[in-house]
Amino acid sequence: MKVIVLGGDGFCGWPTSIHLSHLGHEVTIADNLSRRNIDNELGVNSLTPITPIQTRIAAWKEISGRQIGFRFLDVARDYDGLLQLLKDQEPDALVHFAKLPSAPYSMKSGRHKRYTVDNNLNATHNLLCAVVESGLDVHVVHLGSMGVYGYGGTGVKIPEGYLSVRASDGQGGWVEREILHPTNPGSIYHLTKTHDQLFFAYYNKNDGLRITDLHQGIVWGTNIPETLRDERLINRFDYDGDYGTVLNRLLMQAAVGHPLTVYGTGGQTRAFIHIQDTVRCIALALNNPPANGDRVSIFNQMTETHRIRDLAKMVAELTGAQITHLPNPRIEAEENELFAENKHLLALGLEPIRLSTALMQEVTQIALRYRARCDVSKIPATSRWRQDNHAQSRGVEASQGLVSGGKRPV
Ligand SMILES: NC(=O)c1ccc[n+]([C@@H]2O[C@H](COP(=O)([O-])OP(=O)(O)OC[C@H]3O[C@@H](n4cnc5c(N)ncnc54)[C@H](O)[C@@H]3O)[C@@H](O)[C@H]2O)c1
């Protein structure tokens, strides 16, 4: 299959690209390398020593004999370039990762909010519009987020995208329908993900586009078997307060002897998936496209749920690290339940990697191995969801000595 991976230089995009190439697909990456520029803006580096995209691709060719194409392209701004890429490649499928994916980054300031909205909405809309204008029959696979459902804890098991409802017809009878599950975004980034759903529903209805929207949980882990074949292929690992996903942050904190920082009570429940399962799910989605005329396929791409304080406890038990609770910079429920369906991808053959079996590997192979590259000053969260909880949280971090880092390694 010919596949274009938009955002193929990123944390999920790079392992997906080489996994698909390993499976025999013909892969072209399109990326504007904005993620690398954001590292420069924030003054941080991936904990793992990632190489430039050109080096990654050359190393993969050397090791596997397979060629991955690369086009430097801003999907949100260069519509003509995107359309030309489609015409040149005539792909069977597009995998869409080209987004600003960090909730804290999207909340940093007015500029960051506006950038997130401009980038994410235009990227998705340009892509859909270009597929229609190209006249090609392309299966679009998008990486969405479980965050679109929100974490309100409604007591309802979250279905895969569509909710069955029963409403009065106003004449004493009832009408039954399946509707898109109501959204409840918790950040500007998540807000853009909720808009994506409407773009997909519209282009599916109006133009018959075949679309799979994967509502992904928080990704943990770093490598897949293909990225382990040579250090030049290594995937990125973010541990900083803006981009580090919660489990990776906790692992890194343990490795450098920093207390494990849990926001609020840590009673927030979130959905998780290992990066190896992410790439497998995408391969499964590509092999099982919706038929012409089908509505948008929505799968919940997550394999387990945990409360944040339980994750911290798990990491503390593995490593001997201490746990500290900080004021929550986010505006969110202190405690929530999260029950979600994920039967579609399991039915397609996904066999999940569990936290309980693979967590220690991540501590030793990544966090401990590369801890000398960690800049502990980048660990604290600096984004605040509202300016009025800013001063309070920073003050607590400073008074607890958390900004300079601890001493006791794991
Ligand atoms: N990482 C997670 O835990 C997670 C969880 C749920 C969903 N997702 C979704 O998966 C997707 C990828 O996330 P990620 O963690 O790999 O992010 P990332 O920032 O590491 O990767 C995104 C890539 O897209 C590129 N990009 C961004 N805007 C672009 C544009 N306008 N044109 C071209 N390229 C552009 C970036 O340079 C980067 O290489 C996102 O849509 C995100 O919402 C990620």
Side-chain angles (χ1 to χ4, degrees):
M1 197 183 295
K2 250 188 174 181
V3 187
I4 297 179
V5 182
L6 303 174
D9 185 46
F11 170 60
C12 298
W14 172 242
T16 299
S17 299
I18 50 172
H19 183 60
L20 295 178
S21 173
H22 166 74
L23 294 177
H25 298 298
E26 203 179 311
V27 177
T28 299
I29 291 173
D31 201 298
N32 67 351
L33 308 184
S34 53
R35 177 67 191 90
R36 293 178 188 254
N37 289 335
I38 289 173
D39 272 350
N40 295 335
E41 174 195 342
L42 300 175
V44 294
N45 276 312
S46 161
L47 183 75
T48 47
I50 56 170
T51 56
I53 183 68
Q54 293 81 357
T55 309
R56 284 176 154 183
I57 288 174
W60 178 241
K61 174 90 193 292
E62 186 186 309
I63 285 152
S64 70
R66 295 177 191 280
Q67 182 72 52
I68 292 179
F70 175 65
R71 188 140 335 164
F72 180 76
L73 178 74
D74 189 326
V75 181
R77 294 192 176 161
D78 185 2
Y79 178 76
D80 293 340
L82 176 61
L83 183 56
Q84 194 56 51
L85 176 68
L86 289 179
K87 288 180 177 167
D88 293 347
Q89 295 285 324
E90 299 191 348
D92 301 293
L94 277 169
V95 185
H96 180 27
F97 295 107
K99 295 288 181 67
L100 184 293
S102 156
Y105 183 92
S106 77
M107 300 301 291
K108 284 182 104 55
S109 72
R111 176 173 73 79
H112 295 88
K113 290 176 188 176
R114 289 171 48 248
Y115 170 73
T116 304
V117 168
D118 287 350
N119 188 66
N120 291 4
L121 298 194
N122 280 319
T124 297
H125 188 250
N126 281 353
L127 148 66
L128 297 170
C129 196
V131 170
V132 172
E133 196 170 342
S134 73
L136 298 165
D137 180 19
V138 184
H139 174 207
V140 175
V141 177
H142 170 252
L143 266 290
S145 165
M146 286 293 292
V148 300
Y149 301 118
Y151 300 107
T154 53
V156 173
K157 186 161 192 182
I158 296 175
E160 300 198 68
Y162 298 97
L163 184 69
S164 301
V165 295
R166 198 162 169 255
S168 162
D169 67 1
Q171 297 166 22
W174 294 94
V175 180
E176 299 202 350
R177 289 275 184 282
E178 272 204 314
I179 60 168
L180 270 177
H181 190 285
T183 58
N184 184 12
S187 70
I188 295 291
Y189 153 66
H190 289 105
L191 182 64
T192 65
K193 290 281 174 197
T194 69
H195 282 70
D196 283 337
Q197 292 203 123
L198 293 179
F199 283 138
F200 297 142
Y202 179 78
Y203 274 90
N204 169 261
K205 179 187 73 167
N206 194 67
D207 299 282
L209 292 199
R210 292 182 302 124
I211 301 170
T212 302
D213 195 5
L214 301 168
H215 286 184
Q216 185 168 241
I218 299 170
V219 181
W220 67 282
T222 312
N223 280 308
I224 63 168
E226 291 79 25
T227 57
L228 282 169
R229 288 173 69 177
D230 185 294
E231 206 182 27
R232 289 170 295 171
L233 300 173
I234 201 164
N235 197 19
R236 60 178 308 127
F237 178 111
D238 298 307
Y239 61 90
D240 61 280
D242 285 312
Y243 264 87
T245 53
V246 56
L247 192 54
N248 286 2
R249 272 193 293 117
L250 295 176
L251 292 175
M252 190 60 240
Q253 291 171 353
V256 296
H258 190 286
L260 309 183
T261 54
V262 171
Y263 301 148
T265 64
Q268 309 91 330
T269 308
R270 295 293 182 266
F272 294 88
I273 183 166
H274 192 276
I275 186 75
Q276 290 187 30
D277 288 336
T278 290
V279 305
R280 286 190 195 120
C281 287
I282 291 162
L284 289 170
L286 286 171
N287 285 336
N288 295 276
N292 281 317
D294 284 357
R295 70 180 179 185
V296 176
S297 293
I298 304 180
F299 302 157
N300 291 340
Q301 185 166 303
M302 41 74 66
T303 54
E304 51 196 312
T305 59
H306 294 279
R307 280 190 197 280
I308 304 303
R309 62 171 169 255
D310 296 335
L311 283 182
K313 212 167 136 219
M314 221 185 282
V315 175
E317 278 165 9
L318 280 176
T319 61
Q322 290 172 348
I323 299 175
T324 189
H325 290 261
L326 298 178
N328 193 346
R330 302 182 180 223
I331 308 292
E332 64 183 6
E334 286 273 298
E335 309 264 331
N336 72 289
E337 302 292 341
L338 179 61
F339 301 110
E341 301 262 7
N342 64 345
K343 56 187 178 204
H344 277 106
L345 287 161
L346 295 176
L348 292 177
L350 177 69
E351 290 173 16
I353 294 177
R354 300 283 176 200
L355 260 166
S356 50
T357 52
L359 196 57
M360 196 58 201
Q361 239 181 18
E362 207 51 35
V363 175
T364 52
Q365 286 183 359
I366 300 294
L368 283 175
R369 178 155 181 216
Y370 295 106
R371 72 178 164 195
R373 289 172 52 88
C374 172
D375 175 352
V376 290
S377 74
K378 299 297 178 188
I379 288 178
T382 53
S383 284
R384 296 292 177 269
W385 263 231
R386 269 203 313 248
Q387 289 313 307
D388 54 6
N389 60 359
H390 192 221
Q392 185 202 6
S393 308
R394 295 199 72 165
V396 172
E397 284 182 36
S399 72
Q400 295 187 2
L402 297 178
V403 274
S404 56
K407 294 248 172 352
R408 192 170 49 80
V410 289

